[in-house]
Amino acid sequence: MFTGHALHSFRKQLLGWFSQFKRDLPWRLDKDPYRIWISEIMLQQTRVVAAIPFYERFLTHFPGVATLATAPEQEVLRLWSGLGYYSRARNLQKAARQIVAQHQGVFPNRHEQVLALPGIGPYTAAAILSIAHGQTYAVLDGNVARVISRLGAISGNLRTNQRWQQLQQLADNLLDPRAPGDWNQAMMELGATVCTPRSPQCLLCPVNKSCEARKLGLVRSIPEKRNKRATLGITLAALVLVDKKGTTLLLAPPISPSRSKMHSQIAPLLSRLWHFPTIEVSQDAVKEAKAYLEANLLHGTKIRETLVPLKRVRHSVTHHDITLLPFRLELAALPNIPHSKKFPLTDLSSVPISNLTRKVARSAQG
Ligand code: SF4
């Protein structure tokens, strides 16, 4: 893309801009690979502003690999609660345990060892190794790919294997070997704050003179829009059972669909965390929820109390659009059900729950 003087001046402009305008972010305070790793995993599907309080709380509870490796999984999930994509938290802990078992608790600094950790792919490995250890691995994710494709006016689908490899090669060539960590962060920062997907601020862009898409008037059409995966609609009913003291009942994360009597399609929608008893419904939600309640939670006892419909909850998880119909049922005493626990409805902070469950709890409190 650029060589010789053009490459030199491109690097100088971008690094100069980054050193002047980079955001103050908590994971930029030092070069500890553990802290960088946690931030990179959190930022995979979460915006910077939303991630910061979670990051600080997580680091307070798990300041290093050893504390993360030895913590109960439920505690790790609880502190991840609200960030979504919980496989990230589960993989973090698996990786921490692997680091303790194979690397004496010290985050490895060899590329192949980092890539062998659960949840770490080429992007995350490159980010950690370049920022923490100054190793010359260039990051490539959707943000950086967008920037490079615009700089080089590369049209077409960026996500084909061949095109992605081409972009990786370009990223490798652009990387400034004298400051790989800053370079990678500068490319990410440019993509996140200036060369954004919908409204790139080309006038303010530090490298606008080097940008082919801008010269050719192609900024709006590059990169090519991705075909969105069709979303599936699903309707669920959740039962919020409440006793006189305001205590409610949550079911444990489903280990197997058979144990929870939960349709296997539903478990991932609840992030495999603690949840209100929930089923998929089709025709008559009240009737179906009542039948489920009597058969599975009340051991066949018929109820006379009314299921009170609460405000419906809309939620999206990956390619599912969920409509959830919560029902509140006041009972003199909550039933004893295996794999369940009782909590105050107004405070579920001691247990890992998904955003969907949090919305249901809010709806049940009126
Ligand atoms: Fe992106 Fe515009 Fe800068 Fe080109 S000039 S890199 S399109 S912000």
Side-chain angles (χ1 to χ4, degrees):
M1 189 185 285
F2 309 119
T3 52
H5 178 69
L7 179 58
H8 177 75
S9 93
F10 174 76
R11 285 173 174 164
K12 204 171 151 199
Q13 278 158 352
L14 186 60
L15 284 173
W17 169 81
F18 180 66
S19 90
Q20 202 181 345
F21 294 106
K22 68 180 170 197
R23 292 168 291 178
D24 269 339
L25 300 173
W27 43 88
R28 287 183 175 160
L29 293 177
D30 59 40
K31 301 206 165 178
D32 177 353
Y34 173 76
R35 296 169 66 91
I36 295 164
W37 171 44
I38 303 295
S39 72
E40 286 299 333
I41 299 296
M42 279 193 179
L43 293 172
Q44 277 170 11
Q45 256 106 7
T46 308
R47 287 176 308 108
V48 165
V49 178
I52 290 174
F54 286 93
Y55 174 81
E56 289 178 333
R57 203 166 57 127
F58 199 86
L59 265 289
T60 304
H61 281 79
F62 310 121
V65 169
T67 44
L68 177 57
T70 50
E73 188 195 63
Q74 291 300 300
E75 184 63 359
V76 177
L77 292 171
R78 188 180 73 79
L79 288 159
W80 202 268
S81 201
L83 272 173
Y85 299 96
Y86 294 87
S87 58
R88 294 184 293 172
R90 293 185 178 100
N91 278 334
L92 270 180
Q93 191 173 43
K94 276 190 212 149
R97 287 176 177 163
Q98 192 166 314
I99 294 168
V100 168
Q102 296 176 4
H103 307 291
Q104 293 77 47
V106 178
F107 199 94
N109 61 7
R110 285 188 20 217
H111 192 236
E112 70 279 7
Q113 292 174 335
V114 177
L115 274 177
L117 297 170
I120 295 194
Y123 168 85
T124 311
I128 299 168
L129 290 173
S130 64
I131 300 168
H133 299 294
Q135 294 184 24
T136 50
Y137 292 101
V139 294
L140 181 68
D141 67 348
N143 258 335
V144 175
R146 179 176 63 257
V147 172
I148 295 177
S149 68
R150 285 176 175 163
L151 286 168
I154 298 167
S155 52
N157 179 359
L158 303 186
R159 294 279 173 173
T160 63
N161 275 346
Q162 205 187 0
R163 185 52 57 81
W164 198 255
Q165 274 172 22
Q166 182 200 358
L167 290 165
Q168 183 67 64
Q169 234 165 40
L170 291 168
D172 294 345
N173 292 341
L174 291 174
L175 180 88
D176 189 332
R178 289 165 307 171
D182 276 357
W183 179 262
N184 279 331
Q185 291 182 82
M187 287 291 279
M188 298 186 236
E189 190 94 340
L190 188 71
T193 62
V194 177
C195 193
T196 54
R198 278 184 218 100
S199 40
Q201 300 175 53
C202 300
L203 285 175
L204 300 175
C205 176
V207 291
N208 57 14
K209 290 201 175 63
S210 314
C211 180
E212 280 300 307
R214 182 160 189 255
K215 278 183 210 156
L216 300 170
L218 296 173
V219 173
R220 300 272 157 200
S221 54
I222 292 180
E224 185 179 273
K225 304 270 172 299
R226 289 167 77 186
N227 285 337
K228 279 205 176 151
R229 196 171 162 184
T231 50
L232 297 172
I234 184 165
T235 305
L236 306 178
L239 289 158
V240 183
L241 310 182
V242 191
D243 70 9
K244 288 198 183 86
K245 290 186 194 146
T247 306
T248 192
L249 177 146
L250 296 183
L251 298 182
I255 291 167
S256 69
S258 58
R259 191 195 81 183
S260 68
K261 297 201 170 50
M262 180 186 280
H263 193 286
S264 58
Q265 197 185 354
I266 297 179
L269 302 181
L270 300 169
S271 307
R272 301 188 191 284
L273 299 175
W274 288 83
H275 55 279
F276 292 104
T278 303
I279 54 162
E280 183 177 358
V281 290
S282 49
Q283 305 282 322
D284 185 336
V286 176
K287 202 167 151 194
E288 291 166 55
K290 197 168 169 224
Y292 165 77
L293 170 69
E294 290 173 346
N296 296 297
L297 306 180
L298 301 178
H299 318 292
T301 309
K302 300 283 172 206
I303 53 159
R304 268 176 279 130
E305 296 86 345
T306 317
L307 291 181
V308 180
L310 303 166
K311 193 170 164 223
R312 70 173 52 198
V313 171
R314 299 296 301 270
H315 192 75
S316 294
V317 175
T318 54
H319 59 286
H320 279 94
D321 265 343
I322 304 167
T323 302
L324 191 141
L325 310 171
F327 294 97
R328 182 178 167 121
L329 179 66
E330 309 265 349
L331 294 170
L334 295 175
N336 289 318
I337 303 168
H339 312 296
S340 75
K341 265 194 196 166
K342 290 155 193 167
F343 303 92
L345 177 60
T346 51
D347 182 11
L348 300 179
S349 61
S350 63
V351 67
I353 56 172
S354 68
N355 279 339
L356 181 58
T357 299
R358 191 167 290 115
K359 285 182 187 175
V360 174
R362 237 179 271 139
S363 167
Q365 288 167 52

